[in-house]
Each structure stands twice: as C-alpha cells, then as structure tokens.
Amino acid sequence: MALESWNDGVAKSTIVDFVARVTKEGAVEYVPPAERVAVFDNDGTLWCEQPIQVQIFFLIDRVKELVANDPSVKEREPFKALLEQDFATLLRLGKQAAMELFAATHAGMSEDEFEIIARAWFASARHPKYGRLFKQCTYSPQVELLGYLRENGFKTYIVSGGGVDMMRAFAEEGYGIAREQVIGSSMKLRFEIKEGRSHLMKVGELGSFDDREAKAANIGLHIGRRPILAFGNSDGDLAMMRYTKGGTGPRLALLLHHDDGEREFAYDREFKLSPLSEALDKAIEYDITVVSMKRDWKIVFA
Amino acid sequence: MALESWNDGVAKSTIVDFVARVTKEGAVEYVPPAERVAVFDNDGTLWCEQPIQVQIFFLIDRVKELVANDPSVKEREPFKALLEQDFATLLRLGKQAAMELFAATHAGMSEDEFEIIARAWFASARHPKYGRLFKQCTYSPQVELLGYLRENGFKTYIVSGGGVDMMRAFAEEGYGIAREQVIGSSMKLRFEIKEGRSHLMKVGELGSFDDREAKAANIGLHIGRRPILAFGNSDGDLAMMRYTKGGTGPRLALLLHHDDGEREFAYDREFKLSPLSEALDKAIEYDITVVSMKRDWKIVFA
C-alpha cells in the first residue's frame, strides 16, 4: 500500500491518482521519467519550521561561538537581537542585517570547512520543543512521499529559502535527496589556490535568496525543466507552484496547511518569518490541493 | 572492448585504469557512485569550436533575423562586426558588446520560446567547413567516453562557457546528458504571469559567465560535490581541472590538445576566442593528462 502514513482522503487520492496517470505508458497523460520533476520546499514542508526555522537555530549557535571568541559581539546588532530571538527587531533591521549575520557565520571559510561545521551541528543539536535531533524533525509522511515519487521514476528536488550548503549536509540522509538536487539560498563562491590546494571559499556576499519568484527562476537555472509537481507551505512557494501549474499536461501543486496544534504547531497568516496567506486564499483559483496536517497525516514525526 | 574509437596509448590507458580503480569495490581508491562526478567543457572538448564556436554561428544567424526586420542593425556595432566576423573588433569592443549581442538575440523571450528557436536551428543549420549539421559536430571518442563513464556509474556534466539554454536544447540528443546536468553561461530569468500563464522570461542581463574561476564556483553551486574527473581543452578550463585535482583520493584531469590539422584544426595558444597556453605549459606540474587528437583518437567525427 502506497503512502501508509497518509490518511485516506482527497489529498492522498489526488497524489496517488496523479502519479498513476503520469506513469501509465501509452496513456494520454503519460510523462516520460526524465520530465517527472518534483520540487519541494524544505522549511515547513519537509521538516518543522517552528518556533523558528532550523537554520536560525544553527545561526544562533554559530553566533554564540563568535561571542565565545569576542564577547563584545553580543552587544552589537544584529547579533544582539538574534541571540535574544527578538525577531521584530531583526525584521526591522532588514536584509542588510540578515546578510551581516550570514556573512559572519556562513562565510570566510571553504565549502569543505563549512560542511564539517554543519555536519557536527546536525549530529548533536536538538530541537528545543521536541528534544530530538533537528535532523529527526522531518515529517514522516513527506519522507514517505519523496520515496514513493522516486519509486515512480520522479526526480525529487528541494527548492528552499534555506542555505544550500546547510541543506546539502543532511538532505541525502534525511530525505534521500542527493546534494546536486538541492537548490537553496547561497553565498557567492570564490575559487582559490591556497598552499597549492584548491578551494571554493564562501564569500560574504549574497548569491541568491531563493524565495518567491527566485524559486521559479532558480528552477529554470538549475534544472531547466518545468516541474510537474510542486509542494510548499507558504506564500514564498506560490511562484514555484504557479510555474509548475503553468505548463501543459498533468500538473500537481500541493500546499501543506499547518493546522495541527496538538502534534505540531497551528499557524499560517501570522507567522512573520514565512507567512501563508495568499496561497491559501487563492488555492481554489490556482488549482492547488491543500493538505491538512491534522486531517491528512496519520503521523507527523517518526 | 571499452573506448574503441580511442587508440591504445597513455591517454586511453590512464582513463581506463582510473575508472577501474574508482569502481573496484573494497579497494582503497573506491569511490561510491554518488561521488563519481565527471565534468566536461563543451566547445572544443565535446564538439568542434573552429573556426568559431557553434554558438557564435547561432548568434550570427539570430542577428541576420534582426536585420531582416530592421536593416539599420547591420550598420551598428557590435552587430556589424559580428556579421563581418571581425573578431578583433568584437574583442576590442569587449564584454559590454557581447552582452548587447546576447541581450538582443537570447533575451526578451520566455525560456520555452527560446527552446523552440534553438531546436529549429539545430535541426537545419550546418557547419560551413564540414557541411554537416552542427549537432553532428560532436567528437565520437568523447561521446563514447561519456557513455563509458555513465556505464561505470559516473554522472556526466557539461560545464561550459556556452549558453546553458542553447546547450540544453541538444545535450540529451548529442551527448546523452540530461538538461539538469548542463551548467553554462546564463542570462537572468524573471518569473512572470502573462494572460494567466506563468513563464520564465530571459532578461537581457548577465546571470553568470561560466568561464575560468566561475566554472569551479558554478560546480559548487549546482552540484555541490568536487568532481573526480574533469576534461577541458583551454585555459578557461584550468580552474575546473585544478578544483577537481584538489580533492583527496583518486582524481583525473584531461586536456584535449587540438593538434590534428588534417582531420580537424590544429590550434592552441593563438586561438583568441579561447586560448590554450597555461594549461599546456603547466600540464606536468598540475598532473593533467594531455590527450592528443592526432595520436589518441582513431576517429574524430562519426
């Protein structure tokens, strides 16, 4: 039985029906495997993003390390606001402040060095609410769905606002998604030869902030095919969903609604870090299938 | 027998030996399939780039279409120099002129529209020297090598200065390389909804010029793994080769030397559009295996 961690209902049958239609050879709606591209947002779609995104917990831990070396850091904005989890101030400080945080914590080192830091963090850091490792905060029904799609010849991608290097450090283990199928926000990389060895250095300069319209553009740049399935959970995923739906032939856009305050968190419009509003209001008009965490998922976490 | 279109010799045995070593399970140098990333330059490595790159022929044909609509175009630089194949002038006019040419011919349309134009061109345009279709100007020994690597669990990528959309229009057919495994120069993309349908518009602004150091950086961005094999033919490929060689474990960098004036063209340092000089001079120091077209290839074209 496919998708055992999903309850029977419209969402599950829509997915199973869609997959059956596009994989049935000779049928009108058949889609060759090479074109079975499925794109998934990460934060709030594949794993928990409450009370704040996993990468922000990582950011805080990284800043604490900076403070250990230089205590004056904790008196300076935007570091102060981050350590106090004062997101109103951080949002007010804006994009420049975010860049400063990422430049101080995610850059000035090689990709290989960052990978070691990220892996060490994933190996030990725990979610404050659940007490489990962050990498175990993935949603079981989604991990199952990813596997189900791959079994049916789909190529599964992450297309997320999260940092691409951070996600690559656990996407294979957490989702079975290869590094090259992870698209995310990125700092620029600079090729360098140091002491005869070559490195890609992470530079403190934004390459791409992979959110909203940029998600569709990055799909074009990295994949070069219009996906036939997109799964998101916020307005930041709407462009990617509409890009997916805009092609000819069968298309499926899915929107996860966090309506399960008991097993996870219940939120949508009011979540400032990544609101869900327009996508919910326009779901019918845009032919987006809303997945209710409460109704459609038998379990949430493994 | 592997690599039948290659003559026996150092180049061939180096390749075959390398593939044997990295694929032998249990051996010290074994590399798991996921990490068997091979990157190939395109122009001059996988297909002919003489007397000018294929994309420049395409550019000229596109400009001729502009002239058909507006004859004054042919009196204006940089269009005039391009139509007269006056590359000294074009190189003097510099990057800005190149951008203007690409913006006028490769942008202001959706990705889907460009794909149709590129496919139509590949279906009929012929190489002036060989009289064959451009897409048949691929090197047989390289097409065979790509297949051989894939049979051995490698993932083959193009990493080229050529336009990514142009290459994606024929890479699957020409090389068996999927669209998402093509990395190239690119114009920025803008997500747009027009008459209720979504498109990615090609904007007349440079996204990335995928040459030299940028090749290594784009490998980091798109693949997120250091390749274990790189094949190029010019100084523009040197950073990618050195990045490849800079990792631990077995690594192979190959450099095609165009020394076969009879079957193709003999050139290296003097080819202004893409010179080979430093890579040739430093091949021994950097442990790059030089492939001689004349000596190592049994045939050149199919």
Side-chain angles (χ1 to χ4, degrees):
Chain A
M1 237 331 259
L3 302 183
E4 288 192 356
S5 51
W6 289 65
N7 288 317
D8 290 333
V10 173
K12 178 174 173 172
S13 65
T14 300
I15 294 169
V16 172
D17 176 61
F18 175 79
V19 170
R21 285 188 290 133
V22 300
T23 54
K24 194 178 172 188
E25 280 192 62
V28 179
E29 298 196 296
Y30 176 75
V31 176
E35 290 166 30
R36 290 181 207 153
V37 171
V39 290
F40 283 74
D41 169 58
N42 186 34
D43 296 309
T45 298
L46 293 180
W47 70 355
C48 185
E49 65 176 347
Q50 288 287 0
I52 52 177
Q53 283 91 354
V54 175
Q55 187 135 13
I56 300 182
F57 283 115
F58 174 72
L59 196 55
I60 292 170
D61 285 352
R62 293 282 299 141
V63 168
K64 284 179 183 165
E65 287 172 42
L66 297 183
V67 169
N69 286 324
D70 174 6
S72 78
V73 166
K74 69 169 178 288
E75 307 304 330
R76 288 204 328 262
E77 296 296 8
F79 304 98
K80 186 168 178 288
L82 181 77
L83 290 170
E84 292 167 358
Q85 301 198 24
D86 174 4
F87 297 106
T89 298
L90 277 177
L91 288 168
R92 205 184 60 240
L93 291 172
K95 198 173 158 179
Q96 186 53 41
M99 272 314 299
E100 200 177 330
L101 288 171
F102 277 90
T105 56
H106 285 63
M109 66 190 90
S110 74
E111 284 233 303
D112 297 341
E113 286 163 338
F114 181 81
E115 174 88 6
I116 291 167
I117 293 169
R119 284 186 178 270
W121 189 81
F122 275 120
S124 63
R126 285 173 189 277
H127 193 285
K129 175 173 171 177
Y130 300 111
R132 59 172 70 206
L133 294 174
F134 282 108
K135 65 181 179 181
Q136 293 163 339
C137 291
T138 58
Y139 302 134
S140 289
Q142 300 291 65
V143 174
E144 188 185 21
L145 175 58
L146 289 167
Y148 171 69
L149 291 172
R150 289 191 295 263
E151 280 163 28
N152 281 282
F154 281 75
K155 213 160 178 176
T156 54
Y157 286 85
I158 290 174
V159 181
S160 166
V164 65
D165 297 332
M166 183 74 184
M167 294 188 286
R168 281 176 175 162
F170 88 102
E172 177 74 54
E173 179 188 350
Y175 306 125
I177 294 179
R179 299 172 68 87
E180 58 270 29
Q181 279 155 240
V182 178
I183 299 168
S185 296
S186 56
M187 312 293 271
K188 287 192 176 163
L189 296 169
R190 189 180 58 224
F191 177 72
E192 256 184 38
I193 307 273
K194 253 197 325 207
E195 294 162 10
R197 279 206 55 191
S198 57
H199 302 275
L200 286 180
M201 294 297 293
K202 286 167 70 73
V203 183
E205 198 185 325
L206 186 66
S208 169
F209 178 44
D210 190 43
D211 195 29
R212 297 185 174 262
E213 284 71 20
K215 287 198 175 196
N218 278 329
I219 289 170
L221 177 64
H222 288 255
I223 309 178
R225 305 184 198 262
R226 204 187 277 250
I228 65 166
L229 186 155
F231 208 140
N233 80 305
S234 78
D235 289 352
D237 303 315
L238 194 50
M240 166 169 101
M241 290 180 183
R242 297 194 71 188
Y243 178 53
T244 298
K245 293 290 290 183
T248 53
R251 307 273 155 178
L252 181 60
L254 297 150
L255 177 72
L256 181 62
H257 190 202
H258 292 264
D259 55 2
D260 193 332
E262 207 167 304
R263 296 186 297 177
E264 203 227 15
F265 291 88
Y267 66 98
D268 43 46
R269 295 168 209 275
E270 79 294 347
F271 182 43
K272 291 279 186 300
L273 294 174
S274 182
L276 167 61
S277 171
E278 187 188 351
L280 203 54
D281 294 338
K282 298 282 184 78
I284 291 170
E285 182 184 337
Y286 298 155
D287 190 24
I288 292 169
T289 301
V290 177
V291 174
S292 154
M293 186 178 272
K294 191 171 183 172
R295 182 191 62 214
D296 293 315
W297 285 2
K298 209 169 280 172
I299 54 168
V300 175
F301 300 110
Chain B
M1 234 334 256
L3 302 183
E4 289 194 355
S5 50
W6 288 65
N7 288 319
D8 290 334
V10 173
K12 179 174 175 172
S13 65
T14 300
I15 295 169
V16 172
D17 176 61
F18 176 78
V19 170
R21 286 187 290 134
V22 300
T23 54
K24 193 177 174 192
E25 280 191 63
V28 178
E29 297 195 297
Y30 176 75
V31 176
E35 290 166 30
R36 290 181 207 154
V37 171
V39 290
F40 284 74
D41 168 59
N42 186 34
D43 296 307
T45 299
L46 293 180
W47 71 356
C48 184
E49 65 175 349
Q50 289 285 2
I52 52 176
Q53 283 91 354
V54 175
Q55 187 135 12
I56 299 181
F57 283 115
F58 174 72
L59 197 55
I60 292 171
D61 285 352
R62 293 282 298 139
V63 169
K64 284 179 184 164
E65 287 171 43
L66 297 183
V67 170
N69 286 323
D70 174 6
S72 79
V73 166
K74 69 169 178 287
E75 307 304 330
R76 289 206 324 265
E77 295 297 7
F79 304 98
K80 185 167 179 287
L82 181 78
L83 290 170
E84 290 168 359
Q85 301 198 26
D86 173 3
F87 296 106
T89 298
L90 277 177
L91 287 168
R92 206 184 60 240
L93 290 172
K95 199 173 158 179
Q96 187 52 42
M99 273 314 299
E100 200 178 331
L101 288 172
F102 277 91
T105 55
H106 285 63
M109 66 190 90
S110 73
E111 284 233 303
D112 297 341
E113 287 163 339
F114 180 81
E115 175 87 7
I116 291 167
I117 292 169
R119 283 186 179 271
W121 189 80
F122 275 121
S124 63
R126 285 174 189 277
H127 193 285
K129 174 172 170 179
Y130 300 111
R132 60 172 70 205
L133 294 174
F134 282 108
K135 65 181 178 181
Q136 293 164 339
C137 292
T138 59
Y139 302 133
S140 289
Q142 299 292 64
V143 173
E144 188 185 23
L145 174 58
L146 289 167
Y148 171 70
L149 291 172
R150 288 192 295 263
E151 279 163 27
N152 282 282
F154 281 75
K155 213 160 176 174
T156 54
Y157 285 85
I158 290 173
V159 181
S160 166
V164 65
D165 297 332
M166 183 74 185
M167 294 187 287
R168 281 175 174 162
F170 89 102
E172 177 74 54
E173 179 188 351
Y175 306 124
I177 294 180
R179 299 173 68 87
E180 59 270 30
Q181 279 156 239
V182 178
I183 299 168
S185 296
S186 57
M187 311 292 272
K188 286 192 177 163
L189 296 169
R190 190 178 60 223
F191 177 72
E192 256 186 35
I193 307 275
K194 256 199 320 208
E195 295 163 10
R197 281 206 54 192
S198 57
H199 301 276
L200 286 180
M201 295 297 293
K202 286 167 70 73
V203 182
E205 198 184 326
L206 185 66
S208 170
F209 177 45
D210 190 43
D211 195 30
R212 298 187 172 260
E213 284 71 19
K215 287 198 176 197
N218 278 329
I219 289 169
L221 177 65
H222 288 255
I223 309 178
R225 304 184 197 261
R226 205 188 275 252
I228 65 167
L229 185 155
F231 208 141
N233 80 305
S234 79
D235 288 352
D237 303 315
L238 194 49
M240 166 169 101
M241 290 180 183
R242 297 195 70 188
Y243 179 53
T244 298
K245 292 291 289 185
T248 54
R251 307 271 156 179
L252 180 60
L254 297 150
L255 177 71
L256 181 63
H257 189 202
H258 292 264
D259 55 4
D260 193 332
E262 206 166 306
R263 295 185 298 177
E264 203 227 17
F265 290 89
Y267 66 100
D268 43 46
R269 294 165 208 276
E270 78 294 345
F271 182 43
K272 291 277 185 300
L273 293 174
S274 182
L276 167 61
S277 171
E278 187 187 351
L280 203 55
D281 294 338
K282 299 282 184 78
I284 291 171
E285 181 183 338
Y286 297 155
D287 190 24
I288 293 168
T289 300
V290 177
V291 174
S292 153
M293 185 178 272
K294 191 170 182 171
R295 180 191 64 213
D296 293 315
W297 286 3
K298 208 169 283 175
I299 53 169
V300 174
F301 300 110

